[in-house]
């Protein structure tokens, strides 16, 4: 069989279906759909879409929310390249989506909806116990590392906090004592050091080191001598903090990497299901019915052009 997809405007239908996919990878797969003249493949794909159609119309749409494009993230984890906090949050999204789909399909089966074409895909989904909890113990919902992620990190941050409080006390004294030399009466941070804003004209009369200048050039940010040692100690602690965070994230990356196969397969399966349900949603919206493949005859019952407005199109029965 030969056909011209451009003349048929196949790509326009493809664009409609793509918009109905929920995930980035699902949309990519939808854009890759192409016509086939393989009888067995056509039958399989129609069966999968019809099963998805039955689920949507008789139960509800599946939960595809929270699934980001994880291909690069999982590839990094496989080669033990340390993941960033936001990447771990994406992994959590996949773990939650997988669990949600397992529950969703279990409920589908309990409703006794006819069809088993999607069993093959849902049976492949693997829930990974404990990984979500491990990530959440380290990383907050906004991508921050918890103080409690490790004993050493907790200790380091406690020391940083103590020294910052001491610096604040000393700088508040400076704000009162040298108020006339300052452009503003507040403490700020420049180049990771706690400083005060000093008038440029007073920089030589202020005991301390210049850390930065304002964009206007009228203010110089200076570190008083009284807090220099504490700022140095904080800088060292900050480096210790970064090293400890890197160690924690590396260990967590190894844990994610150890489940690379299951996570990758879950991602692939859910992406494929997203594409399949996108086709089913298109069928629901345009009130489509599944065709039966015949050997010699074509019987189109009240067929409508899918690109003409549903309220204007004239249905035709053709044999």
């Amino acid at each position: 069989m030969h056909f011209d997809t451009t003349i048929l405007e196949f790509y326009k239908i493809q664009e409609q279906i793509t918009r109905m996919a929920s995930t980035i990878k699902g949309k990519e797969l939808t854009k890759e759909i192409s016509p086939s003249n393989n009888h067995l493949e056509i039958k399989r794909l129609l069966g999968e879409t019809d099963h998805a159609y039955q689920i949507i119309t008789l139960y509800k749409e599946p939960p595809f929310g929270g699934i980001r494009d994880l291909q690069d993230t999982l590839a990094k984890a496989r080669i033990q390249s340390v993941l960033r906090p936001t990447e771990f949050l994406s992994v959590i999204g996949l773990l939650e989506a997988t669990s949600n789909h397992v529950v969703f399909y279990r409920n589908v089966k309990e409703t006794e909806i006819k069809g088993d074409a999607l069993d093959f895909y849902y049976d492949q989904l693997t829930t990974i116990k404990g990984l979500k909890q491990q990530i959440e113990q380290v990383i907050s919902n906004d991508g921050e590392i918890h103080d409690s992620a490790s004993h050493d990190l907790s200790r380091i941050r406690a020391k940083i906090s103590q020294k910052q409080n001491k610096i604040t006390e000393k700088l508040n004294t400076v704000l009162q004592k040298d108020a006339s030399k300052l452009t503003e009466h507040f403490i700020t941070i420049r180049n990771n050091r706690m400083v005060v804003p000093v008038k440029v004209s007073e920089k030589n009369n202020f005991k301390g080191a210049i850390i930065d200048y304002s964009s206007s050039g009228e203010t110089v940010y200076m570190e008083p001598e009284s807090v220099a040692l504490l700022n140095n100690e904080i800088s060292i602690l900050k480096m210790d903090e970064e090293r400890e965070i890197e160690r924690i994230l590396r260990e967590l990356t190894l844990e994610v990497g150890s489940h690379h196969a299951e996570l990758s397969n879950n991602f692939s399966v859910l992406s494929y299901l997203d594409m399949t349900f996108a086709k089913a949603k298109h069928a629901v919206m345009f009130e489509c019915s599944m065709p039966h493949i015949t050997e010699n005859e074509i019987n189109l019952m009240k067929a409508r052009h899918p690109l003409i407005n549903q309220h204007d199109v004239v249905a035709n029965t053709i044999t």
Side-chain angles (χ1 to χ4, degrees):
M1 181 186 295
H2 299 282
F3 36 73
D4 189 316
T5 56
T6 302
I7 293 175
L8 289 173
E9 295 186 304
F10 176 80
Y11 67 94
K12 290 187 178 179
I13 302 297
Q14 198 171 31
E15 288 174 356
Q16 291 179 346
I17 298 173
T18 298
R19 288 194 291 271
M20 295 184 178
S22 302
T23 67
I24 293 176
K25 186 60 179 177
K27 290 180 183 295
E28 289 179 3
L29 292 177
T30 304
K31 291 177 182 179
E32 295 172 3
I33 294 174
S34 62
S36 172
N37 57 11
N38 183 306
H39 177 87
L40 293 177
E41 182 181 30
I42 293 171
K43 187 175 181 180
R44 175 179 64 81
L45 293 172
L46 282 174
E48 291 172 2
T49 305
D50 183 58
H51 192 193
Y53 178 91
Q54 299 301 324
I55 292 171
I56 291 174
T57 55
L58 299 177
Y59 183 48
K60 62 181 179 180
E61 293 183 15
F64 284 104
I67 304 174
R68 300 182 179 89
D69 190 346
L70 280 170
Q71 295 175 100
D72 291 342
T73 296
L74 295 178
K76 285 177 61 178
R78 182 174 59 82
I79 62 173
Q80 300 179 10
S81 176
V82 179
L83 301 181
R84 296 301 94 197
T86 52
E87 293 177 304
F88 285 109
L89 294 180
S90 295
V91 172
I92 286 181
L94 176 61
L95 292 168
E96 290 179 337
T98 301
S99 297
N100 291 337
H101 271 266
V102 169
V103 173
F104 170 82
Y105 203 63
R106 185 185 304 139
N107 293 335
V108 167
K109 286 300 185 182
E110 290 176 356
T111 61
E112 298 183 354
I113 294 173
K114 292 182 179 180
D116 58 6
L118 297 181
D119 286 7
F120 172 75
Y121 302 100
Y122 276 103
D123 288 345
Q124 290 185 54
L125 293 178
T126 304
T127 54
I128 304 171
K129 295 181 179 179
L131 183 56
K132 178 188 173 185
Q133 289 73 20
Q134 283 182 272
I135 296 174
E136 289 178 334
Q137 286 173 359
V138 171
I139 302 169
S140 67
N141 291 332
D142 56 2
E144 297 297 322
I145 309 299
H146 293 303
D147 292 352
S148 58
S150 78
H151 174 74
D152 285 344
L153 183 62
S154 178
R155 176 181 55 79
I156 291 168
R157 286 183 171 175
K159 285 186 176 180
I160 290 173
S161 180
Q162 291 170 2
K163 293 185 183 299
Q164 285 175 335
N165 289 337
K166 288 183 180 179
I167 289 178
T168 299
E169 291 176 7
K170 290 179 180 293
L171 290 182
N172 280 328
T173 300
V174 172
L175 292 177
Q176 295 176 358
K177 181 181 177 182
D178 296 314
S180 62
K181 300 176 183 178
L182 308 177
T183 56
E184 299 285 348
H185 294 78
F186 62 78
I187 300 167
T188 187
I189 295 177
R190 285 291 187 277
N191 298 328
N192 295 318
R193 299 178 82 83
M194 298 178 73
V195 296
V196 292
V198 179
K199 297 175 182 177
V200 171
S201 59
E202 295 290 341
K203 65 180 182 180
N204 294 325
N205 300 320
F206 189 89
K207 292 183 179 181
I210 296 174
I211 302 299
D212 196 9
Y213 284 87
S214 67
S215 56
S216 66
E218 296 179 359
T219 299
V220 59
Y221 296 98
M222 299 188 70
E223 176 186 68
E225 290 180 350
S226 59
V227 301
L229 179 59
L230 285 170
N231 263 333
N232 287 338
E233 291 174 349
I234 288 177
S235 294
I236 294 172
L237 286 170
K238 287 283 187 182
M239 288 189 286
D240 291 341
E241 179 187 27
E242 289 178 8
R243 281 194 293 268
E244 180 59 13
I245 288 174
E246 188 74 5
R247 185 194 67 77
I248 293 168
L249 294 181
R250 181 172 294 281
E251 284 191 359
L252 201 55
T253 298
L254 293 176
E255 189 61 33
V256 171
S258 69
H259 297 286
H260 174 268
E262 305 102 292
L263 290 169
S264 294
N265 188 64
N266 287 346
F267 176 72
S268 297
V269 168
L270 291 175
S271 299
Y272 183 86
L273 287 169
D274 183 28
M275 175 197 68
T276 302
F277 276 95
K279 291 189 289 184
K281 284 186 278 188
H282 182 272
V284 172
M285 177 173 287
F286 288 88
E287 300 178 0
C288 302
S289 58
M290 188 180 82
H292 297 283
I293 308 301
T294 58
E295 292 295 332
N296 301 307
E297 291 185 347
I298 294 179
N299 298 293
L300 303 180
M301 309 301 293
K302 296 182 179 181
R304 294 168 286 118
H305 193 301
L307 296 176
I308 299 177
N309 187 292
Q310 287 176 273
H311 303 292
D312 300 329
V313 67
V314 176
N316 290 283
T317 297
I318 302 169
T319 298

